[in-house]
């Protein structure tokens, strides 16, 4: 069966520090991969999606970037975090053609 | 511009009764609709979905209804149980460029009282 792992579960970082969040999927090949953010009191907002290695699409302009160095690995990064980057970050995967996206357990990021 | 709206931030029902969660959308190009359930500090868990070519899908206690002309969908939970207490997100899918993008509502917090 397929599983998705995200780490760390929680992270506290100072403003201006770099960020790297990692997500890996097991049990499937060539999944679509997604990064979402849920800010306090808001729904989930799609940040990036990827349909293959090295293929990244950005949905909103922001201080973050994403990379997909391997088929089942998706990384969310920032060179310098802002206070507004605080939130709950979720990675998700799907196979194509009307199959649901499945989410990891998320990373709670707090910027101080 | 919010394309998927859940106008009720919270809902409280008694155990054993029906819970009805509502969702409205604006984009007629959405081709697939999903409901997710989320507990605090966890990722959303897929609950049930419906294709845009159907008007009803049932899975045990959960039924999703789609009214395309009204751009409205709803999730019915019958009978409601205390373990159903969670935040429920409605999501609409847009298929573009070989991938599926989900647009989420802000969620409705359901509380089922024993």
């Amino acid at each position: 069966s397929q599983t998705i792992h995200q780490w760390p579960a929680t992270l506290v970082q100072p403003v201006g520090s770099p960020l790297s969040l990692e997500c890996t999927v097991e049990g499937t090949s060539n999944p679509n991969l997604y990064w979402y953010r849920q800010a306090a009191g808001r729904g989930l907002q799609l940040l990036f999606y990827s349909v293959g290695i090295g293929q990244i699409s950005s949905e909103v302009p922001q201080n973050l970037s994403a990379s997909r160095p391997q088929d089942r690995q998706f990384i969310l990064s920032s060179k310098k975090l802002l206070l507004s980057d605080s939130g709950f970050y979720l990675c998700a995967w799907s196979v194509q053609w009307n199959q649901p996206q499945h989410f990891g357990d998320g990373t709670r990021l707090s910027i101080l | 511009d919010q394309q998927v709206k859940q106008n009720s931030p919270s809902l409280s029902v008694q155990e054993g009764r029906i819970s009805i969660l509502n969702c409205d959308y604006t984009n007629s190009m959405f081709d697939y609709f999903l409901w997710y359930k989320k507990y605090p500090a966890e990722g959303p868990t897929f609950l049930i979905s419906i294709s845009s070519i159907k008007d009803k899908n049932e899975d045990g206690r959960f039924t999703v209804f789609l009214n395309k002309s009204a751009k409205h969908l709803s999730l019915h939970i019958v009978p409601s149980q205390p373990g159903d207490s969670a935040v429920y997100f409605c999501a609409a899918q847009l298929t573009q460029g070989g991938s599926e993008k989900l647009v989420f509502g802000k969620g409705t917090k359901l509380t089922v009282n024993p």
Side-chain angles (χ1 to χ4, degrees):
Chain A
S1 64
Q2 300 89 354
T3 57
I4 180 168
H5 303 278
Q6 264 188 264
W7 65 94
T10 59
L11 188 60
V12 181
Q13 292 283 96
V15 169
S17 64
L19 173 74
S20 181
L21 301 181
E22 190 164 341
C23 171
T24 60
V25 179
E26 297 177 0
T28 187
S29 296
N30 196 31
N32 291 336
L33 296 173
Y34 308 83
W35 278 111
Y36 289 86
R37 174 170 61 203
Q38 184 183 17
R42 304 185 69 177
L44 281 72
Q45 181 185 35
L46 179 64
L47 302 176
F48 301 95
Y49 71 92
S50 171
V51 298
I53 295 174
Q55 300 179 62
I56 309 293
S57 295
S58 174
E59 286 299 295
V60 294
Q62 59 203 304
N63 185 41
L64 302 167
S65 61
S67 61
R68 184 170 177 174
Q70 300 180 43
D71 180 43
R72 289 167 290 175
Q73 185 184 29
F74 206 21
I75 297 172
L76 184 68
S77 304
S78 174
K79 292 182 180 178
K80 279 188 177 184
L81 286 167
L82 306 172
L83 281 174
S84 57
D85 292 324
S86 292
F88 191 50
Y89 288 83
L90 290 153
C91 180
W93 70 272
S94 72
V95 296
Q96 295 182 4
W97 313 125
N98 281 357
Q99 295 295 313
Q101 293 181 18
H102 298 278
F103 288 81
D105 283 335
T107 295
R108 173 71 60 192
L109 175 64
S110 299
I111 309 300
L112 303 179
Chain B
D1 178 29
Q2 202 176 345
Q3 296 188 71
V4 177
K5 294 181 181 179
Q6 293 177 257
N7 292 319
S8 298
S10 63
L11 175 68
S12 184
V13 300
Q14 284 299 117
E15 181 179 6
R17 306 294 289 270
I18 184 171
S19 295
I20 300 177
L21 298 115
N22 293 304
C23 179
D24 297 293
Y25 63 94
T26 57
N27 190 340
S28 58
M29 297 301 290
F30 290 137
D31 54 10
Y32 186 54
F33 301 89
L34 309 91
W35 284 95
Y36 284 84
K37 178 180 178 180
K38 185 179 181 300
Y39 294 114
E42 293 184 9
T45 302
F46 169 69
L47 196 57
I48 193 169
S49 64
I50 188 167
S51 166
S52 60
I53 62 173
K54 295 187 175 181
D55 55 19
K56 179 182 174 182
N57 186 26
E58 191 172 351
D59 182 2
R61 295 186 298 114
F62 303 92
T63 303
V64 56
F65 295 92
L66 176 63
N67 182 335
K68 283 188 70 178
S69 60
K71 293 190 178 68
H72 176 83
L73 70 157
S74 60
L75 174 67
H76 292 209
I77 307 174
V78 181
S80 301
Q81 299 173 354
D84 295 329
S85 298
V87 177
Y88 288 78
F89 289 97
C90 167
Q93 179 177 283
L94 195 61
T95 303
Q96 278 182 343
S99 89
E100 298 78 39
K101 300 183 191 180
L102 286 183
V103 179
F104 283 84
K106 291 186 177 181
T108 296
K109 183 177 181 180
L110 173 66
T111 303
V112 180
N113 301 303

